[in-house]
């Protein structure tokens, strides 16, 4: 009679010199040994035979994110895994446009340039099993910190015009747009290009206001009525 051992535990006794194990887990290492039993006495165990079972079939790829948005220079890790865990877990990937995003061995994405692309992860054991991740990379938003006018106080005559120049900082701000407004359009008006027109005598404040951050600067406009030239009596 033969005693059959699996991982050091006796599992069966048989008269057969061949033995088949069923219901073994995939991708698992087992140790098998046998002993001979004669007249109630058991021989020492044989040297172990180490066997690793085959992988199970790949069923799917799991990703933590199917859509990722990040800025240029920003990094974003995602989790990628094969299911079931007893399958061959080796994974590879393809990037439609690797000038937009790159990925390292730990599946950390890094935005390289503005645009959209797709990363396809697939099983090396079965390339037909795959998963796509859509990636959008955007230019980082740079907030406006200030706006300044080239003139902060001016005296004008009625019907005179002057242009105010606005400078938005920083120079690489994402939204550098602004609007002009007058505190009293009966004294001075201003258009979107900063052109100030003197309308009537008095004082008005011209304000430039950024759309991003509501930053402002002002110019005090004083409008005078020009003196009439003296009469020349002949």
């Amino acid at each position: 009679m033969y005693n059959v051992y699996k991982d050091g535990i006796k599992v069966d006794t048989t008269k057969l010199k061949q033995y088949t194990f069923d219901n073994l887990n995939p991708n698992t290492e087992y140790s098998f040994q046998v002993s001979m039993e004669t007249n109630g006495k058991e021989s020492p165990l044989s040297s172990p035979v180490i066997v690793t079972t085959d992988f199970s079939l790949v069923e799917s790829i799991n990703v933590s994110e199917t859509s990722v948005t990040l800025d240029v220079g920003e990094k974003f890790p995602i989790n990628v895994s094969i299911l079931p865990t007893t399958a061959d877990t080796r994974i590879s990937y393809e990037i439609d446009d690797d000038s937009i995003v790159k990925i390292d061995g730990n599946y950390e994405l890094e935005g390289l340039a503005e645009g959209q692309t797709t990363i396809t992860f697939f099983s090396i054991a079965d390339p037909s099993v795959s998963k796509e991740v859509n990636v959008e990379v955007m230019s980082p938003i740079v907030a406006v910190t200030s706006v300044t006018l080239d003139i902060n106080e001016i005296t004008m005559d009625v019907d005179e015009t002057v242009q105010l120049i606005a400078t938005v900082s920083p120079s690489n701000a994402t939204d550098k747009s602004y609007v002009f407004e007058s505190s009293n359009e009966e004294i001075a008006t201003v258009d979107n290009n900063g052109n100030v027109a003197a309308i009537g005598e008095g004082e008005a404040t011209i304000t430039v206001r950024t759309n991003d951050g509501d930053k402002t600067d002002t110019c005090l406009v004083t409008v005078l009525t020009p003196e009439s030239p003296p009469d020349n009596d002949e």
Side-chain angles (χ1 to χ4, degrees):
M1 298 289 288
Y2 298 98
N3 296 317
V4 181
Y5 289 79
K6 182 180 75 173
D7 294 335
I9 300 173
K10 183 179 177 179
V11 294
D12 204 357
T13 299
T14 179
K15 295 179 180 180
L16 302 176
K17 290 186 177 182
Q18 292 184 342
Y19 193 88
T20 301
F21 282 91
D22 296 321
N23 301 319
L24 296 178
N25 293 324
N27 190 28
T28 303
E29 184 180 279
Y30 293 96
S31 172
F32 299 103
Q33 294 170 285
V34 295
S35 68
M36 183 179 293
E37 189 171 322
T38 306
N39 298 324
K41 294 183 179 181
E42 184 177 9
S43 68
L45 293 177
S46 65
S47 298
V49 176
I50 307 300
V51 175
T52 301
T53 54
D54 290 336
F55 290 107
S56 55
L57 296 177
V58 175
E59 295 178 5
S60 64
I61 292 182
N62 182 59
V63 295
S64 58
E65 308 285 341
T66 57
S67 181
V68 176
T69 301
L70 64 164
D71 291 337
V72 173
E74 183 182 359
K75 295 182 178 181
F76 187 89
I78 61 174
N79 296 318
V80 186
S81 58
I82 292 284
L83 296 177
T85 57
T86 52
D88 187 334
T89 57
R90 293 176 300 159
I91 298 171
S92 188
Y93 59 87
E94 293 179 350
I95 305 175
D96 287 353
D97 189 342
D98 58 10
S99 69
I100 294 175
V101 68
K102 70 177 181 179
I103 183 170
D104 65 14
N106 295 318
Y107 306 122
E108 183 173 68
L109 311 184
E110 181 178 354
L112 300 178
E114 190 173 0
Q116 296 179 336
T117 190
T118 300
I119 302 174
T120 303
F121 295 95
F122 59 88
S123 162
I124 292 178
D126 184 358
S128 67
V129 179
S130 62
K131 194 77 170 184
E132 291 185 349
V133 176
N134 297 313
V135 180
E136 181 178 8
V137 179
M138 302 185 298
S139 296
I141 295 176
V142 179
V144 172
T145 58
S146 66
V147 61
T148 56
L149 291 172
D150 60 333
I151 302 172
N152 292 113
E153 189 172 349
I154 189 173
T155 299
M156 304 173 64
D157 289 335
V158 172
D159 295 332
E160 187 181 354
T161 61
V162 68
Q163 185 177 23
L164 301 178
I165 305 299
T167 302
V168 175
S169 296
S171 59
N172 63 337
T174 301
D175 182 2
K176 298 173 67 175
S177 62
Y178 49 79
V179 294
F180 283 96
E181 55 192 41
S182 172
S183 64
N184 191 335
E185 293 191 343
E186 293 182 357
I187 294 174
T189 60
V190 62
D191 65 17
N192 288 333
N193 295 316
N195 294 308
V196 179
I199 305 300
E201 191 172 356
E203 289 185 348
T205 299
I206 304 299
T207 301
V208 61
R209 188 183 309 276
T210 63
N211 291 315
D212 176 22
D214 200 35
K215 306 299 182 181
T216 62
D217 197 15
T218 59
C219 176
L220 176 63
V221 177
T222 302
V223 179
L224 304 176
T225 300
E227 295 183 2
S228 302
D231 293 333
N232 294 322
D233 295 332
E234 292 185 2

